[in-house]
Amino acid sequence: MPEIITTVYDVFMRTYPGFLEATVVTLQLTAIGVILGTVIGLVFALMKISGSKILQAIANIYITIIRGTPLIVQIMFLYFGIVELYTMSNFWAGAIALGVHNGAYIAEIFRGSIQGIDPGQREASMSLGMDRRQTMSRIVFPQALRRSIPPLGNQFIITLKDSSLVYIIGVAEIFSLGNREAAQSYQPFESFLVVALYYLVLVMIFTFLLRLYENKLDVDRA
Amino acid sequence: MIIGENIHKSFGDLEVLKGVDLHVKPQEVVVLVGVSGSGKSTLLRCFNFLEMINDGKITIDGHTVNPKKDNLTKIRAEVGMVFQHFNLFPHKTVLENVIEAPITVKKMKKEAAKKLGTELLEKVGLGDKANVYPSKLSGGQKQRVAIARSLAMQPKVMLFDEPTSALDPELVGEVLQVMKQLAEEGMTMVVVTHEMKFAKEVADRIIMIDEGKIIESADPKNFFENPQNERTKQFIQLVE
Ligand SMILES: Nc1ncnc2c1ncn2[C@@H]1O[C@H](COP(=O)(O)OP(=O)(O)O)[C@@H](O)[C@H]1O
Ligand SMILES: [Mg+2]
């Protein structure tokens, strides 16, 4: 047992400069994936609640396809579909794939929080003479957005882990580096243990930050 | 001030209002009573165009509303509504709740709106709560804020849908007090309530709705002492 600890320690010490760079790449992929996903998600959530049958159908098709296929397939699809057409870096192909993937899940998060707002809020606003647009932008959306933050944070953590799948198109993020390290060093067990630790620590940090934020929200509105 | 003629309203196959005629005069206080499900809320919601009537017409302050042509948003602004569950905006402070519509709808300057809002909050006895969030208030305080919020639009008529039904008994009085004061100041009001003491003291007229129809309409004295309809008699026995 002590022996494994020392070998893992050795692997860690030998590889951390590379891993720190890879961590930056992972965080960039995650951030772009979530931000792009939020923009896409907002658009599709609005389409779903728009009342227009056509827009709803388009949104439903998108959400069904994304949720019904593996992320790794979507990454390959985007990579060969787009990078081939427009000379785009592998990094951006991966980041966009994560964004498009997240968009479907985030659309459902937004839709859920908008529809979860008590209809009485809308009625009160309308009864005061506010029109549909004012009611949405000033009463419904601000409340829905606040409700979306915990599930969005959760989605961020999922994306952080999911970003490992873009190793398949050769983006130098944490998993990809670990994979190479495992092959080169003939120490696969130790290498993947180190990889797991990087993800675990990142997830724990973001979980902690999310908790902090949720508690603050509770305190503000309690 | 507000006239409903032959109002019909259905939800799918369910006909909830079956030809209601109601003429509320300026400064009149009308109390609507009736068992649960008789259509009281639906009638108020039709008066505020939160529901669209299927047949009949509604006239507000001399203007017969044409739901297809008229700007309903504007008409809603002239008819205040107070709900059973307050429906305050939880992400806004008490004062922000009150000044929201004057600023966004009437384009009132923020300073003027704040002045108006503060006055209204003082009027309902909550001048000291301007900057707290609704979640910090008791039910009675919430409902008083909701009344102030409605008043801020200077409505021509105020509709109250069971404003005290969600309150703990000890908080009912403070809300009724504010409503009584409004009535004394000459506000035109239609109030759905089970508070018979309030009805006796404040109402000019009590109207009983049963299965989507008005079956009794009389001043409080006659309503309670000399009801004409069998169902009204049963109702009075039930509440007394
Ligand atoms: N939006 C709606 N859709 C379908 N049925 C409704 C709706 N609103 C009210 N109803 C029905 O209309 C009837 C009258 O309801 P309501 O006006 O709320 O009665 P009251 O306020 O007198 O208790 C009830 O049977 C109720 O279930
Ligand atoms: Mg009701």
Side-chain angles (χ1 to χ4, degrees):
Chain A
M1 196 60 196
E3 195 187 339
I4 188 93
I5 290 172
T6 45
T7 51
V8 168
Y9 181 77
D10 288 344
V11 171
F12 179 84
M13 290 313 285
R14 178 162 46 80
T15 56
Y16 81 85
F19 268 118
L20 287 186
E21 271 174 46
T23 300
V24 173
V25 176
T26 289
L27 288 176
Q28 284 171 336
L29 282 168
T30 307
I32 296 168
V34 170
I35 290 167
L36 189 61
T38 302
V39 175
I40 296 174
L42 198 56
V43 172
F44 280 92
L46 290 178
M47 285 164 75
K48 276 203 86 161
I49 60 164
S50 67
S52 148
K53 286 269 183 299
I54 300 169
L55 294 181
Q56 278 173 356
I58 296 172
N60 281 335
I61 291 169
Y62 164 71
I63 291 168
T64 306
I65 291 175
I66 296 295
R67 300 221 291 189
T69 55
L71 173 56
I72 198 161
V73 176
Q74 293 162 16
I75 292 168
M76 296 302 266
F77 191 83
L78 235 115
Y79 179 66
F80 288 108
I82 291 185
V83 174
E84 303 277 280
L85 285 178
Y86 311 93
T87 44
M88 185 184 284
S89 69
N90 295 14
F91 172 85
W92 277 101
I96 290 172
L98 285 172
V100 169
H101 178 80
N102 267 320
Y105 289 89
I106 294 177
E108 290 293 76
I109 289 174
F110 282 142
R111 185 192 57 78
S113 1
I114 291 169
Q115 290 183 340
I117 301 296
D118 175 5
Q121 290 288 308
R122 227 161 299 184
E123 292 184 349
S125 171
M126 302 285 277
S127 81
L128 288 166
M130 296 211 255
D131 61 27
R132 217 181 114 79
R133 201 184 51 77
Q134 290 165 339
T135 297
M136 278 297 172
S137 68
R138 303 199 45 97
I139 305 302
V140 178
F141 287 161
Q143 293 183 58
L145 207 64
R146 197 160 286 161
R147 269 187 200 211
S148 301
I149 285 169
L152 278 177
N154 223 21
Q155 192 62 29
F156 187 94
I157 288 166
I158 292 170
T159 308
L160 181 70
K161 292 183 286 176
D162 278 358
S163 70
S164 57
L165 287 170
V166 304
Y167 91 97
I168 198 86
I169 57 173
V171 179
E173 43 66 67
I174 296 174
F175 182 79
S176 172
L177 187 69
N179 210 19
R180 209 177 62 206
E181 189 55 41
Q184 284 173 356
S185 65
Y186 299 101
Q187 289 178 302
F189 179 79
E190 291 81 354
S191 300
F192 286 117
L193 197 63
V194 170
V195 166
L197 280 174
Y198 275 100
Y199 283 110
L200 188 62
V201 169
L202 288 175
V203 167
M204 281 166 64
I205 290 171
F206 283 109
T207 307
F208 175 75
L209 292 177
L210 192 60
R211 285 272 156 71
L212 223 59
Y213 185 78
E214 282 175 31
N215 287 343
K216 183 176 152 358
L217 276 190
D218 285 349
V219 171
D220 280 357
R221 310 285 151 190
Chain B
M1 179 58 70
I2 188 160
I3 305 171
E5 287 168 273
N6 191 33
I7 295 177
H8 285 264
K9 173 68 189 174
S10 302
F11 295 107
D13 288 339
L14 179 71
E15 191 175 30
V16 176
L17 298 178
K18 303 168 182 167
V20 172
D21 290 289
L22 178 59
H23 187 151
V24 184
K25 294 189 268 301
Q27 311 211 326
E28 193 179 18
V29 177
V30 171
V31 163
L32 283 181
V33 299
V35 296
S36 173
S38 55
K40 307 178 297 293
S41 296
T42 305
L43 182 59
L44 288 194
R45 294 163 60 81
C46 287
F47 277 148
N48 202 6
F49 298 91
L50 288 172
E51 301 286 357
M52 295 303 150
I53 57 177
N54 301 112
D55 197 10
K57 59 183 186 180
I58 294 172
T59 305
I60 294 169
D61 200 20
H63 173 79
T64 300
V65 180
N66 179 343
K68 289 203 180 68
K69 288 213 188 107
D70 286 338
N71 181 350
L72 292 179
T73 301
K74 223 177 184 157
I75 290 162
R76 284 195 199 98
E78 295 177 349
V79 180
M81 180 109 172
V82 173
F83 301 86
Q84 183 176 355
H85 294 288
F86 333 123
N87 299 349
L88 292 182
F89 307 134
H91 60 305
K92 294 184 181 292
T93 65
V94 164
L95 184 61
E96 284 166 353
N97 264 272
V98 177
I99 66 178
E100 174 67 25
I103 289 175
T104 51
V105 179
K106 287 192 168 168
K107 311 294 175 205
M108 198 184 258
K109 289 267 181 302
K110 194 156 187 194
E111 283 315 307
K114 274 189 174 169
K115 189 164 167 288
L116 170 71
T118 310
E119 279 168 19
L120 286 170
L121 286 174
E122 271 160 19
K123 183 187 169 90
V124 299
L126 293 171
D128 55 333
K129 300 288 184 194
N131 297 317
V132 308
Y133 282 90
S135 56
K136 297 272 194 293
L137 302 180
S138 73
Q141 292 172 328
K142 283 182 189 163
Q143 196 59 298
R144 286 186 281 151
V145 173
I147 293 172
R149 179 177 69 174
S150 231
L151 289 174
M153 288 303 284
Q154 283 149 332
K156 291 176 173 155
V157 50
M158 289 273 285
L159 310 175
F160 294 83
D161 192 359
E162 302 200 27
T164 59
S165 294
L167 300 179
D168 292 336
E170 72 272 19
L171 302 176
V172 168
E174 61 191 63
V175 172
L176 293 180
Q177 188 51 45
V178 168
M179 291 168 63
K180 193 171 171 183
Q181 188 193 335
L182 269 184
E184 281 162 3
E185 289 168 6
M187 175 61 78
T188 309
M189 295 165 53
V190 183
V191 183
V192 175
T193 185
H194 300 298
E195 297 293 332
M196 290 304 130
K197 191 163 162 290
F198 174 83
K200 278 180 192 167
E201 284 173 17
V202 182
D204 296 303
R205 200 146 49 104
I206 304 179
I207 286 176
M208 168 98 184
I209 295 194
D210 193 54
E211 296 183 349
K213 279 189 162 157
I214 292 181
I215 58 165
E216 191 94 36
S217 171
D219 60 67
K221 190 169 153 55
N222 274 311
F223 185 90
F224 286 104
E225 290 171 13
N226 188 20
Q228 302 299 307
N229 191 294
E230 231 9 81
R231 301 273 293 178
T232 316
K233 287 177 193 162
Q234 286 172 10
F235 179 83
I236 290 168
Q237 280 187 342
L238 210 71
V239 293
E240 296 258 282

